[in-house]
Amino acid sequence: MELILPDMGLLIWTSIVFVLLLFILTKFIWKPILSSVNEREKNISDSLALAEKTKAEMKELQAQNESLLKEARAERDKIVKEAHELAAKMVDDAKTNAKSESAKIIASAHQAIEMEKAAAMSELKSHVAALSIEIAEKIVKTELSSDDKQKALASKLAEDINLN
Amino acid sequence: MVIKSTVKSITLAFMFLLCLTPLWANETHGESSENHEKKEFNVNEMIMHHIKDAHEWHLWGPDHGGTSIYLPIILIDGGLKTFSSSHFYHGEHKSAVDHKTHEEVSYVAGVGPATGYAMYHEKIYKLENGGLSFEDGHVHGAVKPFDMSITKNVVSLFVGAILILLIMGSVARFYKKNGAVAPKGIAKFLEPIVVMVRDNIAKENIDHHKYHKFVPYLLTIFFFIFINNLLGMIPFFPGGANLTGNITVTMVLAIFTLLITVFSGNKNYWKHIFATPGVPVALLPIMIPIEVVGILTKPFALMIRLFANMSAGHIIILALISIIFINQNAAWGALSVPMALFISVLELLVAFLQAFLFALLSALFIGAAVEEAHH
């Protein structure tokens, strides 16, 4: 029976000790321990979140780099292509230019030749005419002893010159 | 490894024997006494003596004439009276005849500063007409002065409190010195327990906006019970007192839980007690008393659970060791020591479990008191 009856003295001592313990532990021990543990837990979770964020950022950056590289490559390809095109065009232009120039030169050469030829021809004609007149004079001088003979000879000579 | 564990078991068994040396010595003492009357070993008396409070701390040797620490006695009886309990233990042996059973009962009357008082079964009485009268095995009619003595349990209480302060203080110092870093040493061992109390006991049972306020209380009650349970399992000084198996101590702890529950109870909690929603008004005269009794039965169960579990543990171990003394043969140790060892290991688990349960149920009751209405 004694075992289950509370003892007032022990009750008072236990209450005093427990209240003191509760006070001291709460103020000087549980607070620093719990705040440190909480702080550390917060640090860890923050660090983890940061790592995750950094990872995502890195990934994004990498993707960005990739796209940038791709763009640069495309740009380069475009530039090279354009350069090729330009070069080809220039060559083409040069070719056509040269062709037209040469054609022009040829044409003008033809023209000059034609003109020279014509000039030479006319000169020749005038020479031939002068020569013919000279010859005719001589012939006429000799042949034009009679009227008939003169006339026949003249026409015959003229015909020959025209055929030439 | 096997050798190591064997050595451990032998050491433990030796420790148990050591704790019971006084008993054994008592036996030999009895045998060699003048009248050669073989004093019978009283298991019940021995066990009760060990699990009850005392005004001395028996270290070794026979009951009378062995080595004890005599603890101070503090009486409030028309003023404060303090003296050593040796004035009782080395007092004047007296006897009286029980008025009902007509058996002779012996008690001790104090000498020196303890004159005028007598001690019977560790209780102090004021002598009347120079003696005590007994009726049915109990002291009859004598006045009991208010006894504020530093008993065995009070010393154990102090030792436990100092131990908690030292252990937890070193943990707190570690964090103060190193800041929020990974724990080392004792902090590494105790931090998971602190976190367990915070997360598994407080956070899980109390509304997560309010649990912070109650964590220090739950931690204190957990470590108070845990450390004192373990201290009670050490069979020699300064352990071995049955502090957490004392109904007074468990009552104080239960009262604290009750007070915290009642004073932190919100409107919703009281509404559930005095006007339980969904209950017809006609039933309220029945429901209110039931609910009010319910407030008290919860901590009452806490008190009984801890008291019964810890006392039972002490009783079983003592009973198993008593097998040797009942049979008066050391060979029985081969049976009793392994069994006592097994129960001791089980008690280590119980020491933790009871501390955990007390804190958990306290958190549950507090959680119910601060819960907000969900409807």
Side-chain angles (χ1 to χ4, degrees):
Chain A
M1 195 59 197
E2 256 179 79
L3 200 62
I4 54 164
L5 285 179
D7 179 82
M8 280 314 285
L10 185 59
L11 188 130
I12 289 167
W13 282 117
T14 311
S15 308
I16 292 170
V17 169
F18 190 77
V19 167
L20 279 177
L21 203 61
L22 184 60
F23 175 74
I24 296 170
L25 284 174
T26 304
K27 197 160 165 55
F28 300 109
I29 292 177
W30 300 136
K31 279 224 172 100
I33 291 179
L34 286 173
S35 69
S36 294
V37 170
N38 286 341
E39 197 187 323
R40 199 179 65 230
E41 276 173 2
K42 203 175 155 281
N43 275 352
I44 290 171
S45 64
D46 282 0
S47 303
L48 282 177
L50 188 70
E52 204 66 27
K53 210 178 124 200
T54 313
K55 215 165 128 190
E57 267 173 16
M58 280 288 286
K59 220 171 185 176
E60 206 182 320
L61 220 65
Q62 222 165 9
Q64 230 169 11
N65 277 355
E66 202 96 327
S67 73
L68 222 63
L69 211 66
K70 222 167 158 184
E71 257 172 53
R73 265 198 206 113
E75 191 77 10
R76 189 198 64 190
D77 284 354
K78 204 176 130 198
I79 290 168
V80 169
K81 204 175 146 201
E82 271 176 7
H84 270 297
E85 270 169 15
L86 198 66
K89 204 179 151 220
M90 269 164 84
V91 170
D92 266 3
D93 282 357
K95 266 185 193 163
T96 42
N97 264 358
K99 254 185 201 162
S100 65
E101 200 68 18
S102 66
K104 240 189 208 164
I105 291 166
I106 289 167
S108 66
H110 271 293
Q111 217 175 358
I113 290 165
E114 257 342 287
M115 269 163 70
E116 290 290 315
K117 199 175 147 188
M121 208 60 122
S122 64
E123 208 179 342
L124 198 65
K125 269 182 188 167
S126 64
H127 271 287
V128 170
L131 215 62
S132 309
I133 291 168
E134 230 174 283
I135 294 164
E137 220 176 46
K138 275 170 188 171
I139 293 168
V140 165
K141 272 175 184 172
T142 54
E143 293 266 326
L144 288 182
S145 42
S146 68
D147 263 358
D148 288 345
K149 257 186 181 176
Q150 278 178 351
K151 276 184 190 168
L153 189 69
S155 66
K156 201 191 164 196
L157 280 172
E159 227 171 281
D160 279 353
I161 289 159
N162 270 348
L163 276 172
N164 242 337
Chain B
M1 202 59 212
V2 176
I3 293 169
K4 209 174 164 190
S5 64
T6 315
V7 170
K8 257 188 197 163
S9 338
I10 290 170
T11 320
L12 269 172
F14 178 71
M15 273 153 53
F16 279 115
L17 287 175
L18 197 72
C19 110
L20 288 147
T21 326
L23 294 169
W24 190 65
N26 193 16
E27 289 305 309
T28 53
H29 179 73
E31 275 175 282
S32 62
S33 63
E34 273 173 42
N35 49 16
H36 289 279
E37 188 195 324
K38 192 163 179 178
K39 197 177 158 196
E40 207 173 313
F41 177 70
N42 189 336
V43 186
N44 190 27
E45 198 181 281
M46 183 278 282
I47 290 175
M48 283 304 146
H49 176 77
H50 271 80
I51 65 170
K52 275 201 293 204
D53 209 354
H55 287 89
E56 63 169 348
W57 202 311
H58 195 165
L59 300 181
W60 58 78
D63 272 359
H64 305 291
T67 309
S68 290
I69 297 170
Y70 295 109
L71 302 168
I73 285 183
I74 302 166
L75 296 178
I76 298 169
D77 182 32
L80 196 71
K81 287 178 185 171
T82 55
F83 48 86
S84 162
S85 66
S86 67
H87 298 297
F88 280 121
Y89 291 105
H90 295 295
E92 190 186 337
H93 287 267
K94 282 188 172 181
S95 57
V97 176
D98 195 303
H99 293 314
K100 277 227 174 109
T101 57
H102 303 291
E103 277 171 8
E104 205 177 74
V105 190
S106 57
Y107 61 94
V108 280
V111 292
T115 311
Y117 297 102
M119 191 162 74
Y120 174 68
H121 280 188
E122 296 294 338
K123 291 268 182 266
I124 294 167
Y125 300 91
K126 214 168 175 178
L127 284 174
E128 274 175 26
N129 310 321
L132 288 179
S133 59
F134 291 88
E135 205 166 86
D136 227 2
H138 296 289
V139 178
H140 180 68
V143 177
K144 276 207 274 181
F146 193 78
D147 186 2
M148 277 276 288
S149 302
I150 309 292
T151 58
K152 189 179 173 182
N153 276 340
V154 177
V155 173
S156 184
L157 184 71
F158 292 160
V159 171
I162 290 166
L163 211 59
I164 294 170
L165 287 177
L166 286 180
I167 295 170
M168 301 322 291
S170 77
V171 176
R173 261 201 309 282
F174 171 84
Y175 286 114
K176 269 184 197 154
K177 209 165 85 186
N178 301 303
V181 297
K184 276 199 183 88
I186 196 155
K188 196 178 188 172
F189 174 70
L190 286 167
E191 198 198 288
I193 304 180
V194 173
V195 171
M196 178 202 76
V197 172
R198 189 196 62 182
D199 292 349
N200 296 15
I201 293 178
K203 210 189 245 174
E204 222 158 80
N205 295 300
I206 306 172
D207 191 296
H208 63 277
H209 294 302
K210 296 171 186 163
Y211 81 94
H212 294 283
K213 215 167 52 176
F214 302 103
V215 172
Y217 172 71
L218 295 170
L219 278 169
T220 308
I221 207 147
F222 176 84
F223 280 101
F224 181 85
I225 296 172
F226 186 42
I227 298 282
N228 281 313
N229 280 352
L230 291 178
L231 213 54
M233 290 202 52
I234 301 170
F236 42 79
F237 183 82
N242 185 26
L243 183 71
T244 43
N246 187 300
I247 195 101
T248 314
V249 175
T250 63
M251 190 173 86
V252 171
L253 299 178
I255 287 171
F256 273 102
T257 294
L258 172 69
L259 290 177
I260 287 179
T261 311
V262 168
F263 284 113
S264 56
N266 58 14
K267 222 169 77 187
N268 184 43
Y269 173 69
W270 294 113
K271 200 179 136 198
H272 268 83
I273 287 166
F274 291 109
T276 318
V279 172
V281 182
L283 275 179
L284 283 181
I286 305 167
M287 287 304 288
I288 290 170
I290 291 174
E291 291 284 350
V292 170
V293 168
I295 299 173
L296 299 172
T297 50
K298 287 169 188 168
F300 190 80
L302 281 182
M303 170 180 86
I304 297 293
R305 182 181 297 108
L306 184 59
F307 156 73
N309 270 287
M310 296 326 293
S311 285
H314 282 247
I315 290 169
I316 292 171
I317 291 171
L318 289 166
L320 287 172
I321 293 293
S322 297
I323 293 173
I324 301 167
F325 301 97
I326 292 165
N327 293 297
Q328 300 280 318
N329 190 341
W332 280 95
L335 173 72
S336 109
V337 170
M339 273 163 44
L341 180 64
F342 171 72
I343 296 295
S344 294
V345 174
L346 197 69
E347 281 299 301
L348 285 177
L349 175 72
V350 171
F352 178 82
L353 194 71
Q354 289 306 320
F356 181 80
L357 265 179
F358 202 108
L360 181 77
L361 291 171
S362 295
L364 208 69
F365 301 153
I366 295 167
V370 298
E371 196 180 19
E372 291 298 340
H374 291 304
H375 31 208

